[in-house]
Amino acid sequence: MTILVTGGAGFIGSHLTERLLQLGHTVICLDNLDDYYDPGLKQQHIQAFTGSPAYHFIKGDIRRQELVADILSGHQCDTVIHLAARAGVRPSVFAPALYVDVNVNGTLSVLEAMRQTGVRRLILASSSSVYGNTPGIPFREDQTGEQPVSPYASSKYAAELLAHAYHSLYHFDISCLRLFTVYGPRQRPEMAISQFVHGLLTQTPIRVFGDGSVVRNYTYIDDTVTGFLQALTHLQGFQRLNIGGAEAISLQQLISLLEQLTGQTTRIQHFPLQPGDVLYTAADLTLAQRRIGYHPAIPLREGLQRFISWHKKKR
């Protein structure tokens, strides 16, 4: 299988690429190496693949529809895994037009390029943020009235709606995977677990927004990648699926667990809860288990220990 992975130089994309290559697929990576965080880190992510004849890197923007179409036809791709997006809930509050442009118009560009070139298979990376503060926990995919509370979340939900339109009009086979707080080696440096581990290992204060009671469902990167691979195997029709971890804990509980695992304590600096942040995320995995056989395998404690070991090595 020849797969176009947009955003393939990022945290999730590089891990997914690694597994796809191991399974014998050809991977075409399209990434613009934007400056949301250090582009040099993304280049490091893909260094291990650059010598593989089954891997091709193209620097470019998903909003360039002709470029995407040329890649799909020129490399005879049969599937697209669309990860490329402007990330980050909090920054989206201050740059909503950018997030709509990249995440909505960029997705439309990819869908149109697929339509033009006859590619009908798509896995779209969505986000648990689409649920917002919707009542009813854990979140189920069949809940109506999702209530996104940030431009980022709204842009991801809009991308899902566009994808459904292309499924209805052109019979695309599409899975929208709603990802729940992915962590692990290569995690973006501004994300909470990266920040907390760095603070503990360097004995510098860590910042917590709110009183520490915010709850997140953390998913180890290996489980997330497994979810993509299982969705790829069962790619038929249209479906939205939660891809999350087995447990949800508060920020305060997370910090306590990290202190245990690192043997360090730290000083916490509290700041007001940020606009756009949701109070709770938890994934109901029943549908993903039934449809694609998804079961998270890495407990939070084990995943955090793996991340800490990796972080120590890279320092």
Side-chain angles (χ1 to χ4, degrees):
M1 192 179 295
T2 300
I3 303 170
L4 170 61
V5 180
T6 71
F11 163 43
I12 298 173
S14 62
H15 281 277
L16 179 58
T17 294
E18 186 174 11
R19 290 276 292 276
L20 289 170
L21 292 172
Q22 289 171 355
L23 291 170
H25 299 293
T26 296
V27 176
I28 317 301
C29 170
L30 174 62
D31 200 303
N32 69 347
L33 302 177
D34 72 21
D35 60 359
Y36 180 75
Y37 66 96
D38 183 4
L41 293 176
K42 300 173 189 177
Q43 292 172 327
Q44 291 175 23
H45 294 166
I46 62 175
Q47 278 182 351
F49 318 135
T50 52
S52 170
Y55 177 80
H56 305 273
F57 175 78
I58 299 166
K59 184 177 180 181
D61 195 308
I62 56 170
R63 290 169 290 184
R64 293 181 55 200
Q65 184 180 317
E66 290 184 4
L67 171 64
V68 180
D70 287 345
I71 293 170
L72 291 174
S73 59
H75 290 273
Q76 297 183 318
C77 299
D78 46 59
T79 303
V80 176
I81 299 179
H82 181 35
L83 291 160
R86 190 71 180 184
V89 168
R90 294 167 188 163
S92 75
V93 175
F94 304 100
L98 174 62
Y99 279 74
V100 169
D101 190 26
V102 175
N103 298 353
V104 181
N105 294 335
T107 298
L108 178 60
S109 170
V110 170
L111 289 165
E112 269 295 280
M114 291 176 63
R115 181 186 65 81
Q116 290 173 359
T117 56
V119 179
R120 295 291 186 268
R121 290 165 47 86
L122 172 68
I123 298 177
L124 173 67
S126 188
S127 168
S128 62
S129 66
V130 302
Y131 291 109
N133 291 314
T134 301
I137 295 169
F139 298 140
R140 297 190 325 271
E141 298 88 342
D142 63 353
Q143 284 177 309
T144 58
E146 288 91 341
Q147 300 172 14
V149 295
S150 69
Y152 170 77
S154 300
S155 72
K156 298 302 280 186
Y157 193 35
E160 288 186 11
L161 296 176
L162 276 173
H164 188 272
Y166 276 70
H167 161 71
S168 298
L169 290 169
Y170 309 115
H171 311 295
F172 283 20
D173 291 318
I174 299 176
S175 287
C176 301
L177 304 187
R178 293 177 170 176
L179 309 182
F180 284 71
T181 315
V182 186
Y183 73 99
R186 305 178 206 153
Q187 187 188 40
R188 299 199 320 264
E190 93 286 356
M191 296 188 74
I193 289 177
S194 290
Q195 292 281 330
F196 294 166
V197 170
H198 177 76
L200 284 162
L201 295 180
T202 59
Q203 284 295 278
T204 54
I206 62 176
R207 301 192 304 168
V208 171
F209 295 93
D211 61 4
S213 63
V214 167
V215 172
R216 292 288 179 268
N217 189 160
Y218 296 99
T219 316
Y220 191 67
I221 182 62
D222 288 6
D223 285 331
T224 301
V225 169
T226 295
F228 275 92
L229 296 177
Q230 290 172 323
L232 185 64
T233 302
H234 298 85
L235 190 54
Q236 186 173 10
F238 180 88
Q239 55 189 353
R240 296 181 174 98
L241 299 173
N242 291 334
I243 301 297
E247 53 198 303
I249 65 170
S250 70
L251 281 180
Q252 189 57 59
Q253 291 172 316
L254 173 68
I255 293 168
S256 297
L257 181 53
L258 289 171
E259 287 180 330
Q260 293 175 29
L261 294 173
T262 59
Q264 304 289 338
T265 57
T266 189
R267 182 165 60 89
I268 298 174
Q269 296 178 332
H270 284 280
F271 294 85
L273 194 66
Q274 297 293 285
D277 280 355
V278 297
L279 302 177
Y280 199 109
T281 66
D284 185 322
L285 300 176
T286 305
L287 186 62
Q289 290 167 354
R290 184 169 73 246
R291 292 277 182 85
I292 65 174
Y294 174 75
H295 295 270
I298 309 299
L300 182 60
R301 175 179 286 270
E302 179 183 341
L304 291 174
Q305 187 61 71
R306 291 186 188 185
F307 179 75
I308 291 165
S309 299
W310 171 82
H311 197 284
K312 287 178 177 178
K313 290 177 183 177
K314 81 175 185 69
R315 290 172 62 197

